[in-house]
Amino acid sequence: MTVMGVSKFERFFRAAASLDVDKNDLKRYGDFVDAKLYDFLVVGQASAKANGRDTVEPWDLPITKGLQESIHRFRRLDEEVELKPILEQLAAHPPLDRTPTQETEERYPEIIGGLSVALAETFKIMYPDVKNPQTGHWEGVTAVFDRLL
C-alpha cells in the first residue's frame, strides 16, 4: 500500500473509533479483509449452488442487518476519508466454483468498508481504553468475527 494509502487507513481508524493504528496493523487488517471476503464468497457460492446458478449474485452474500448498518456508516465516513479506492485494490479474491457477477464484485469495497467499520467499533466495545491495538487485541477481535461470519 502506498504512503497515501497508509495515511488514509490511519485516518479511517481514527475517525471510526479513535484508534491509532500503524503500518504493523496494516498487515493484520489486510489478512482480516482477505479472510472475511473469502468467507463471504464461500457462503455466497453455496447459496448460488443451492439455487442452481453458476454465478454468485449480491443477494447470495450473507449481509446481516448489522453489517448493512456498518456499510451505511462506512459510506458516511468515506466521504471524509476517501478510502473506497484503496479498498477496491484489496477486493481481490481467489477463483471459486461459481463466478461472482460484476454487480457482486462492485459491492466488495463497500462490504469491506462495512467490515472495517465493524472491526474498528468492535475494538472499542471489547477494549474501551485501547488507543493503539496490539497483537492480543487483534486476535481477540478477529476471533469474534471468525465465530460470527
Side-chain angles (χ1 to χ4, degrees):
M1 188 176 287
T2 66
V3 173
M4 177 62 96
V6 172
S7 71
K8 285 186 179 192
F9 166 74
E10 291 169 343
R11 229 172 59 212
F12 171 78
F13 274 87
R14 263 193 304 281
S18 300
L19 294 172
D20 292 323
V21 295
D22 55 33
K23 288 193 312 188
N24 294 329
D25 295 314
L26 193 56
K27 168 101 171 82
R28 293 180 186 115
Y29 172 74
D31 291 346
F32 169 80
V33 166
D34 286 345
K36 293 301 114 202
L37 182 59
Y38 181 76
D39 291 348
F40 271 79
L41 292 172
V42 166
V43 172
Q45 179 177 266
S47 177
K49 183 177 181 179
N51 287 297
R53 284 183 277 104
D54 291 332
T55 59
V56 178
E57 298 292 341
W59 55 83
D60 291 320
L61 302 177
I63 307 296
T64 63
K65 176 182 176 282
L67 180 55
Q68 187 63 49
E69 291 169 356
S70 293
I71 290 170
H72 291 304
R73 286 192 299 279
F74 167 73
R75 288 177 184 146
R76 287 190 299 274
L77 276 172
D78 194 46
E79 290 176 12
E80 173 188 334
V81 180
E82 298 176 353
L83 194 63
K84 191 173 178 181
I86 295 167
L87 296 182
E88 289 171 353
Q89 297 170 7
L90 295 176
H93 62 83
L96 302 166
D97 292 340
R98 303 285 190 267
T99 305
T101 63
Q102 182 176 346
E103 183 182 359
T104 302
E105 289 180 342
E106 288 170 356
R107 294 193 181 184
Y108 294 171
E110 285 192 338
I111 292 168
I112 293 169
L115 285 168
S116 301
V117 168
L119 175 74
E121 292 173 346
T122 302
F123 275 111
K124 290 315 252 185
I125 291 167
M126 291 179 64
Y127 310 104
D129 298 327
V130 76
K131 291 290 180 202
N132 186 352
Q134 302 300 309
T135 302
H137 301 121
W138 278 93
E139 289 170 352
V141 169
T142 57
V144 168
F145 279 84
D146 288 344
R147 302 297 179 287
L148 296 175
L149 298 180

